Amino acid sequence: MSVVSTGQARFEWSSETIIEVLRGRYGLRGLSVTALGGELDQNSAVSLEDGSSVVVKVSPPGADLSHIRWQHELINLAGRPDVLGDVQVPTVRATLDGDTVAEIDHDGSTRAVTVQSWLDGKTLSELSAHSSSLLEELGVTAARMVRAFDGAPMPPHSTSHDWDPLRAPELVADGIASVSDPVKLDEVGRIISWFDRAMALHGASLPFSVVHHDFNDFNILARQDPDGRHHIHAVLDFADALHTARISELTVAVAYAMLREVDPLTAAAAVVRGYATELEITEAEIAVLFPLAAARLCVNVVTWTRRNVEDGTVYGFERMRHTWPTVSRLAATPPELAEAVLRGAAGLPVAREALPADGARCVVPDLDPSPLDASAEGGQAWFGRHLEPDQRAGVRRSTVTGQSATLRLGVAIEATQPFAVHAPFDAVIESGFASSTTSSGTPTVVLLRHDRPEGNPLWSRWTGVATPYAPGQSIAAGELIGRAVPELSGVGHSTIHVSVHRSLETASQATQVLVRPSEADAWESVSPDPAEFVGLPAARRPEPSGRWDAERVVATRDVHFARSQRSYYQRAMNLVGGQGAWLYDDLGRSYLDAINNVSHVGHANPRVVAAAAAQMGRLNTNSRFVYPGIAQYAERLTSLLPDGLEVAFLTCSGSEANDLAIRIARQVTGRRDVLVVDGAYHGSTAVMTGLSPNRYKGPGGTGPDPTTHEVVQPNGYRGLHPYGDPAAGSAYAADVRRQVDRLTSLGKPPAAFIAESAMGAAGSIFYPDGYLTEAYAAMRAGGGLCIADEVQVGFGRFGDVFWAFESQGVVPDIVTVGKPIGNGHPMAAVVTTREIADAFDSGMRYFNTFGGNPVSCAIGTAVLDEIVDQGLQQHAAETGRHFKAALDELALRHELIGDVRGHGMYLGVELVRDRQTKQPATEEALLVSEFMKDEGVIVYPTGLDNNNLKIKPPLPFTPADVEIFVSTLDEVLSRDW
Ligand code: PMP
């Protein structure tokens, strides 16, 4: 028998013995036995003849029966209805003579056997990622478990338990000799010193309770619900239950939740948030929580290292792949920051004390702090504020789940010439600190200690300042600390960075300049705003109650908007900025935008912004006045359309343009009826809603107007005539002919056929070759007009053509354009022939207050200039080809992708549950979009079944952005949800 394969190997029973015991003592017929893990017990899963399974636990010889019976009492307490909500615990099976423990003599020793029900689910350790809501549920469950044991009997003997978090230093001391790596020794030593400090201050005030005490990620099961998300489903293994500090329950849950996380504090905060909704956390408990949880992981690594060194035990040792890196991350986390983060999560007040005002003085007197923007005219200095998004850092990948660091810690000053930096308070250069140096060897990160007559000292950290002093030297208030020199910034500017800290530990560890938004309040409490240190007026972050954060914006929208006006995403981003193909939220997180085709030439395009601002500052009026811009723009826009389409009506929205186009067609033909393509969307006015199957057939729809007639959607993926069928175009167009004939024979020939040049809201549908040619011919043969709705797809997005209808080789009678035309400014247009425009002129005047105003015309012109000057049409062709190929490749690996289609930078990915039945994967599409957003990529479902991911980014989207999009989608599709 091997004694090294697992910790339990020494006591192992054979499968036959287990099956025999089950039969003889429990009357259960076992079929097969699978070994499960366990530190002391031999645990096995046994499948039974009736199809169910049980867990058989065989205790080591000499196990204390009364203790096992006590654990069973706890299982019963936790298993009472509603105690843990929907979360289950195993039930204990009784032997044939009604006992819950069977004592079995075998091979010369007596062993206690218990049998429990098998619960399905994946252990938390098996899930590739843990959502914050799952971690919150874990916290909720831990709190409920503690409550379940309120008044529970005490354990029969006051046993001391090896894994009791309160005993961490002792256990670490026992095994530390097995750890040889000096870095690891230092990390463990630091964490244990935090433990000692916290326990010395608060240990005596900790409340005690019976606890389950083993919320580790092997003992918690999760299950995927129909909503596609994992929820906590069960808590297993009561064998480590104990009477100890009540906070131990949360400590263990937090410790294991931090494993594998790049950002352990965010995971810990989620667990604490959940716990605190159920159970109050005391001041003493919150103060010890982080040191205890970190120390618990130290016990793990040290114990498993010791056992592995001593006797080759592998059980537990393998987990250290995850545990050591987490211990390292925790050791690099200032404990006071961690406490502040967890306090925030627990709903406990986080101190927000300002810097003492008396020491505030301008330390950079040779700079004028007023120009806050380096690009401002005559500006010589730029000041970046404490805990504000550092957007100048440019486009960055940031994730919501992974919570990238996006806020600047401290103040940054960048100036075009070198400047001197003076000490705000009397200071001592902190000994032993001199990190990066200039080429001449001068220290450039200066850490100062400011002793204060009353109160604790403060530390300030100055990066980018070359100082002539050595550690230990004193500097009086107002004296020179050093000089900011361009040599250090690499861009010829002098850049310094200043942060202030309440502890040396935080000051020494605050090597990062950016911190996570979720930790901003915590950072503010441990590192106050140094603005006054550098002579800037302090600008405190508003109190949480004064912030327009995502939650408040959504709640206020809910009050003041109709429910029918939905917003994107379950956890909405609170957007405050954009640039090119990227958007930013209030927390400085950046999102790659793959859906805003409106921002055609890029968010906040400088040329468009400048044109708008300049025109706004000069003249804005309406089109009954005469001004050059409107004439120039009409000439420019119509020049881009085929010959003959030369008369423009400038409107404010695509809906309005389509509404006007229908009105023109009806008046010009003297007819009422209109043909639309099934699934189309043409706008939100009363007329266009009745002409949009996407609305009138969707939720809340009341059917078409009596004058609306659908033609079959030419869909190569789902329709009767699939991709590759050379006759598909004609076959689908035949339906237009049928409808024209039918209506004509009924005495109401149609006024118009309106079709998007490629279908947007229907889910990026591209017509087969020849479709519009034959459909237009049929309509014209019936005496009606052909309207191309180019609102989604025009202005070069298709790449090979400027207008999407050109890809079908047709020239419409009326074209409507919108969305990208004004790059986000509300403008749209109807363009038609002189003949039709004249026929519309019945004497009734047409006037549009805002359409074609000077500002809109200036913007429209700037958009066209930008398309040309940036070569965006060509760029769309190349990037779109690359995008489509990358998505096609992804479809080879992910079954959920049913179809990928695209033309230039207008693409769609249709998700299906089954490639045979093509059942729409509606919920999945929404989840994928939510997860993509959490990873910093914006995409959203569309189509009648909302199972198509629409992809229509601002055209500055680069091939590198394509990589980000595709790799993120790949990662999200590979997840366990
Ligand atoms: N036509 C199409 C094809 C559209 O996609 C839309 C908007 N989604 C419209 C018209 C209506 O445009 P707007 O929202 O500017 O009124």
Side-chain angles (χ1 to χ4, degrees):
M1 181 197 300
S2 155
V3 290
V4 294
S5 67
T6 70
Q8 77 233 349
R10 277 155 287 181
F11 313 112
E12 220 149 73
W13 274 4
S14 68
S15 302
E16 293 72 31
T17 310
I18 291 169
I19 287 188
E20 174 52 28
V21 168
L22 274 182
R23 195 190 55 75
R25 298 298 289 270
Y26 289 85
L28 298 174
R29 302 189 79 83
L31 297 179
S32 64
V33 179
T34 312
L36 304 171
E39 188 198 352
L40 297 174
D41 292 347
Q42 178 187 348
N43 297 322
S44 314
V46 182
S47 57
L48 304 179
E49 212 174 43
D50 66 1
S52 67
S53 297
V54 288
V55 176
V56 178
K57 299 171 87 65
V58 183
S59 305
D64 178 351
L65 283 197
S66 62
H67 205 77
I68 296 176
R69 290 188 202 286
W70 174 69
Q71 288 162 15
H72 292 167
E73 278 185 72
L74 299 183
I75 292 183
N76 291 339
L77 285 173
R80 286 170 297 164
D82 297 334
V83 165
L84 299 184
D86 293 333
V87 176
Q88 308 198 356
V89 295
T91 48
V92 182
R93 301 284 284 253
T95 59
L96 288 172
D97 40 18
D99 202 345
T100 54
V101 188
E103 279 188 281
I104 314 283
D105 292 324
H106 182 76
D107 272 352
S109 70
T110 305
R111 315 282 295 272
V113 174
T114 62
V115 175
Q116 300 181 358
S117 57
W118 170 265
L119 292 167
D120 278 326
K122 277 188 174 177
T123 65
L124 290 194
S125 66
E126 288 172 306
L127 297 184
S128 54
H130 302 142
S131 67
S132 59
S133 61
L134 184 74
L135 294 175
E136 281 175 29
E137 285 180 30
L138 177 67
V140 166
T141 310
R144 289 181 177 166
M145 190 64 83
V146 173
R147 277 216 314 252
F149 298 154
D150 198 15
M154 291 293 276
H157 314 290
S158 66
T159 43
S160 104
H161 195 295
D162 264 4
W163 295 98
D164 185 344
L166 300 186
R167 293 185 53 210
E170 213 182 301
L171 288 150
V172 164
D174 269 1
I176 199 72
S178 314
V179 178
S180 47
D181 181 340
V183 175
K184 289 177 171 169
L185 281 173
D186 176 59
E187 289 167 350
V188 171
R190 196 177 322 149
I191 290 173
I192 295 301
S193 74
W194 300 340
F195 177 103
D196 290 338
R197 194 169 64 197
M199 286 302 286
L201 285 171
H202 304 285
S205 318
L206 292 176
F208 270 51
S209 164
V210 169
V211 286
H212 172 283
H213 175 230
D214 203 9
F215 268 57
N216 86 56
D217 54 353
F218 282 167
N219 284 344
I220 310 293
L221 297 184
R223 209 164 64 172
Q224 204 171 17
D225 275 2
D227 69 1
R229 296 186 181 229
H230 278 99
H231 296 278
I232 301 292
H233 170 58
V235 181
L236 310 177
D237 196 0
F238 286 64
D240 292 290
L242 190 65
H243 183 254
T244 183
R246 182 178 72 177
I247 197 67
S248 299
E249 201 78 293
L250 183 58
T251 299
V252 178
V254 161
Y256 286 89
M258 293 192 294
L259 287 186
R260 286 182 291 254
E261 298 284 348
V262 216
D263 176 10
L265 269 192
T266 300
V271 183
V272 171
R273 202 160 42 243
Y275 185 96
T277 60
E278 294 283 322
L279 203 60
E280 192 191 334
I281 303 179
T282 68
E283 287 288 334
E285 286 179 320
I286 201 74
V288 302
L289 180 57
F290 178 72
L292 253 63
R296 165 61 190 247
L297 293 180
C298 291
V299 171
N300 288 12
V301 286
V302 169
T303 303
W304 297 123
T305 304
R306 174 176 64 74
R307 291 197 192 166
N308 186 256
V309 168
E310 280 174 2
D311 62 9
T313 301
V314 183
Y315 180 79
F317 187 70
E318 287 159 4
R319 283 169 71 86
M320 304 222 292
R321 254 179 324 125
H322 308 303
T323 320
W324 270 120
T326 306
V327 167
S328 301
R329 282 194 191 109
L330 299 184
T333 306
E336 51 166 358
L337 173 77
E339 183 181 338
V341 167
L342 299 183
R343 287 187 71 91
L348 294 167
V350 180
R352 304 180 80 231
E353 185 196 333
L355 275 185
D358 59 328
R361 66 191 65 203
C362 182
V363 295
V364 281
D366 52 348
L367 283 182
D368 171 10
S370 51
L372 292 180
D373 181 354
S375 63
E377 269 174 45
Q380 296 190 311
W382 172 87
F383 292 79
R385 292 288 192 163
H386 181 51
L387 295 175
E388 282 189 356
D390 190 0
Q391 296 199 356
R392 292 193 346 141
V395 167
R396 239 185 333 262
R397 286 286 283 132
S398 65
T399 65
V400 176
T401 39
Q403 275 270 348
S404 301
T406 50
L407 305 185
R408 180 187 307 99
L409 182 69
V411 165
I413 305 172
E414 182 175 327
T416 44
Q417 78 273 53
F419 57 93
V421 178
H422 303 263
F425 295 97
D426 290 348
V428 177
I429 304 245
E430 189 63 54
S431 59
F433 189 82
S435 86
S436 77
T437 54
T438 61
S439 50
S440 56
T442 318
T444 58
V445 180
V446 187
L447 189 57
L448 301 181
R449 191 183 70 242
H450 308 279
D451 293 316
R452 297 185 291 162
E454 68 277 341
N456 300 322
L458 285 174
W459 283 264
S460 60
R461 187 185 175 101
W462 307 74
T463 306
V465 177
T467 183
Y469 301 107
Q473 276 186 278
S474 300
I475 308 174
E479 276 183 15
L480 190 79
I481 299 173
R483 294 188 71 76
V485 286
E487 183 193 342
L488 304 174
S489 73
V491 291
H493 289 186
S494 307
T495 307
I496 70 161
H497 185 269
V498 189
S499 55
V500 177
H501 308 276
R502 295 195 186 282
S503 81
L504 176 60
E505 204 150 27
T506 314
S508 317
Q509 285 175 28
T511 47
Q512 78 267 47
V513 170
L514 296 174
V515 302
R516 297 188 172 90
S518 60
E519 293 166 4
D521 285 338
W523 273 111
E524 189 167 37
S525 102
V526 301
S527 297
D529 184 356
E532 294 187 342
F533 259 48
V534 296
L536 286 171
R540 314 257 345 260
R541 275 163 57 80
E543 293 290 337
S545 61
R547 291 180 203 155
W548 280 93
D549 56 14
E551 217 168 277
R552 181 169 175 201
V553 174
V554 169
T556 309
R557 277 179 68 119
D558 285 348
V559 172
H560 295 293
F561 286 98
R563 299 272 178 274
S564 52
Q565 214 170 340
R566 307 253 160 80
S567 56
Y568 283 140
Y569 299 117
Q570 202 178 3
R571 294 178 299 280
M573 341 161 252
N574 194 15
L575 294 177
V576 295
Q579 194 189 319
W582 291 78
L583 290 166
Y584 300 93
D585 70 9
D586 57 339
L587 303 175
R589 295 181 296 212
S590 49
Y591 298 86
L592 177 61
D593 179 3
I595 62 173
N596 276 293
N597 58 332
V598 172
S599 303
H600 196 62
V601 297
H603 290 283
N605 178 291
R607 180 187 225 147
V608 175
V609 173
Q615 187 60 49
M616 195 77 163
R618 259 197 305 271
L619 169 75
N620 202 15
T621 181
N622 73 65
S623 60
R624 277 190 295 221
F625 292 98
V626 168
Y627 40 86
I630 193 167
Q632 290 161 355
Y633 185 65
E635 189 176 82
R636 181 90 184 266
L637 178 65
T638 53
S639 76
L640 293 165
L641 283 149
D643 289 347
L645 290 168
E646 60 192 11
V647 180
F649 296 79
L650 300 178
T651 67
C652 307
S653 74
S655 305
E656 198 191 357
N658 281 332
D659 198 294
L660 178 60
I662 294 296
R663 192 178 140 198
I664 293 172
R666 283 179 170 159
Q667 187 174 320
V668 168
T669 59
R671 303 171 177 181
R672 299 291 308 162
D673 293 74
V674 177
L675 301 189
V676 297
V677 180
D678 194 6
Y681 179 74
H682 293 294
S684 60
T685 62
V687 168
M688 296 324 297
T689 302
L691 278 166
S692 296
N694 188 281
R695 287 294 185 272
Y696 66 67
K697 287 171 98 169
T702 51
D705 285 349
T707 52
T708 297
H709 309 279
E710 286 160 26
V711 299
V712 168
Q713 183 184 94
N715 184 325
Y717 179 58
R718 289 181 181 273
L720 267 184
H721 311 286
Y723 294 138
D725 175 352
S730 299
Y732 283 118
D735 197 48
V736 178
R737 190 164 299 114
R738 265 194 299 276
Q739 290 290 356
V740 172
D741 292 348
R742 184 180 67 83
L743 292 169
T744 307
S745 70
L746 291 172
K748 44 177 188 178
F753 168 56
I754 182 168
E756 297 166 80
S757 302
M759 302 185 74
S764 311
I765 311 284
F766 303 92
Y767 305 135
D769 285 346
Y771 173 69
L772 282 186
T773 314
E774 292 198 33
Y776 277 21
M779 183 73 255
R780 284 171 176 155
L785 298 178
C786 297
I787 304 171
D789 178 344
E790 193 74 28
V791 168
Q792 287 271 358
V793 283
F795 293 93
R797 175 164 294 276
F798 262 35
D800 54 345
V801 286
F802 195 81
W803 305 109
F805 62 73
E806 293 175 281
S807 65
Q808 285 275 310
V810 292
V811 177
D813 302 305
I814 304 176
V815 178
T816 57
V817 294
K819 289 192 191 278
I821 189 175
N823 212 51
H825 178 79
M827 57 187 287
V830 178
V831 183
T832 188
T833 61
R834 169 54 57 199
E835 191 189 352
I836 292 173
D838 283 348
F840 178 59
D841 189 2
S842 62
M844 181 192 287
R845 289 196 203 148
Y846 175 76
F847 173 59
N848 192 316
T849 303
F850 299 121
N853 70 66
V855 172
S856 298
C857 291
I859 288 173
T861 303
V863 169
L864 295 176
D865 287 342
E866 227 15 33
I867 295 172
V868 174
D869 291 355
Q870 304 295 329
L872 291 177
Q873 184 179 339
Q874 178 66 19
H875 177 75
E878 287 157 13
T879 315
R881 212 173 304 124
H882 172 57
F883 210 154
K884 169 83 164 50
L887 291 170
D888 280 336
E889 194 277 326
L890 207 58
L892 299 177
R893 287 183 285 117
H894 295 285
E895 279 289 306
L896 195 65
I897 300 181
D899 192 29
V900 174
R901 37 191 186 252
H903 197 137
M905 285 298 267
Y906 203 87
L907 302 112
V909 175
E910 180 155 354
L911 303 185
V912 293
R913 295 210 172 123
D914 178 326
R915 286 188 175 178
Q916 243 52 56
T917 64
K918 299 183 182 169
Q919 186 193 4
T922 304
E923 284 80 15
E924 291 85 342
L926 196 61
L927 262 187
V928 165
S929 304
E930 189 80 28
F931 290 150
M932 293 279 283
K933 180 265 300 167
D934 287 349
E935 296 303 320
V937 177
I938 298 175
V939 68
Y940 214 73
T942 185
L944 254 194
D945 288 308
N946 284 310
N947 66 321
N948 287 280
L949 301 179
K950 57 179 165 190
I951 304 174
K952 41 178 186 145
L955 290 190
F957 208 85
T958 63
D961 296 334
V962 171
E963 292 310 322
I964 292 175
F965 183 99
V966 174
S967 60
T968 309
L969 182 56
D970 192 8
E971 188 273 316
V972 164
L973 290 175
S974 307
R975 280 187 198 175
D976 300 310
W977 293 341

